[in-house]
Amino acid sequence: MPDRAVNDALRGRFDEVLGQYERIRAGMAELQERLAAFSSTASSPDGLVIATVDARGQLVRLVFDPAAYRAHRPEQLAAVATATVRSATTSATAAVHELVAGYLPPGSGVADYVRSGQLDALLRRHG
């Protein structure tokens, strides 16, 4: 009956892989919802500029306190706004990488790519 034992082992492995796939697939729907609702907000050091970005780092809201126009010359205010948006984007990138990595199978290499952004390392690993 060695063939039966091999078939049982293969069936068990198939069931395990199928279960992993179903968990990942269900997780992807949840991940899409979480990414769609995601935002990251940063404030300038003086609190006069607030920037909010989405999961892709796209600016969705920029707020200037009325005092910002008195506290900064136009070019300074532009620099403060740019730095604040950059801060929100940096935070969003780190948070999204962490969020996405939590839905990927460990040891797949994809989680490492999501963290590092180094596509060539992923391709070398699987190529």
Side-chain angles (χ1 to χ4, degrees):
M1 294 275 193
D3 289 338
R4 182 172 177 93
V6 169
N7 284 342
D8 288 346
L10 287 174
R11 184 170 297 131
R13 178 67 180 133
F14 175 78
D15 289 343
E16 178 184 329
V17 170
L18 182 60
Q20 288 175 347
Y21 167 76
E22 289 172 350
R23 283 189 298 279
I24 290 170
R25 186 172 168 202
M28 289 298 113
E30 179 184 343
L31 176 59
Q32 285 178 323
E33 289 174 17
R34 291 182 72 182
L35 289 173
F38 179 88
S39 67
S40 177
T41 300
S43 295
S44 61
D46 61 10
L48 300 177
V49 178
I50 301 170
T52 301
V53 299
D54 64 13
R56 294 176 300 149
Q58 299 290 319
L59 182 65
V60 295
R61 188 161 190 246
L62 184 61
V63 178
F64 295 95
D65 185 291
Y69 302 107
R70 290 185 300 278
H72 301 287
R73 291 190 322 271
E75 64 275 5
Q76 290 173 321
L77 185 55
V80 169
T82 301
T84 304
V85 170
R86 188 176 297 121
S87 177
T89 301
T90 300
S91 294
T93 300
V96 167
H97 285 176
E98 188 174 314
L99 178 65
V100 170
Y103 285 87
L104 298 173
S108 69
V110 178
D112 293 337
Y113 164 69
V114 167
R115 275 190 272 285
S116 71
Q118 300 297 316
L119 183 59
D120 58 334
L122 177 64
L123 293 174
R124 279 194 304 272
R125 178 181 177 146
H126 294 289

